[in-house]
Every structure is written in structure tokens, then in C-alpha cells.
Amino acid sequence: SQYVSHQHIPTKGARDWKHFVIEDFHYLAVANYFNDATFQLDSEVFVWDSTASQFVSHQLIPTKGALDWEHFVIDDTHY
């Protein structure tokens, strides 16, 4: 079989993507690194919108040269 692109998500020098699930909701987090002018960029968390059948922006997180994302849980709280 052949890979077929489903969705284009714009990034700014993305260095990492992480997929995680919280209570049946699927999320993608992108670590934006550099945009040819600055390292101070928002990285972004997307959530799957089943009605639109695509990931949509959920949260912007101020970062500086982000390289990695990690999802973890402590005492049933997701970080």
C-alpha cells in the first residue's frame, strides 16, 4: 500500500511531534524550534475533531527553541 497524506499542519521549524490520548481524545503536540528570525515561538497542541476529520488547534504554548515534547501522568493528572 502507499502512504496518502491526510492533513497539512503548518509548523515553524518543528523538531518533535508527540501523540497522546486523554479520555478518548487524541492530541498532537508540535515543538516549534526556529522560524529564520527567532527561537521565541509558540509551540502548539492540536486535538482531533471527529466532525471535521482533522486535527484542530487546541492550545498555544510559549516556547524558546523547543526540541522535544513529553506527555506524562502523575496521580491521574496529564501534563
Side-chain angles (χ1 to χ4, degrees):
S1 74
Q2 186 177 7
Y3 174 79
V4 176
S5 178
H6 177 76
Q7 177 180 357
H8 174 76
I9 298 176
T11 65
K12 298 174 183 109
R15 293 296 173 104
D16 190 45
W17 289 89
K18 285 289 188 285
H19 169 262
F20 55 97
V21 179
I22 301 173
E23 297 180 2
D24 295 328
F25 289 93
H26 289 261
Y27 295 88
L28 275 179
V30 60
N32 286 317
Y33 178 69
F34 185 69
N35 70 355
D36 293 329
T38 184
F39 291 96
Q40 294 182 337
L41 301 167
D42 287 336
S43 290
E44 195 161 4
V45 178
F46 298 87
V47 64
W48 180 254
D49 181 330
S50 59
T51 302
S53 293
Q54 66 180 7
F55 283 95
V56 296
S57 182
H58 176 69
Q59 183 178 11
L60 295 174
I61 300 172
T63 56
K64 184 175 183 179
L67 294 172
D68 191 27
W69 275 114
E70 294 300 326
H71 167 258
F72 57 96
V73 180
I74 299 174
D75 296 328
D76 296 324
T77 301
H78 295 260
Y79 299 92

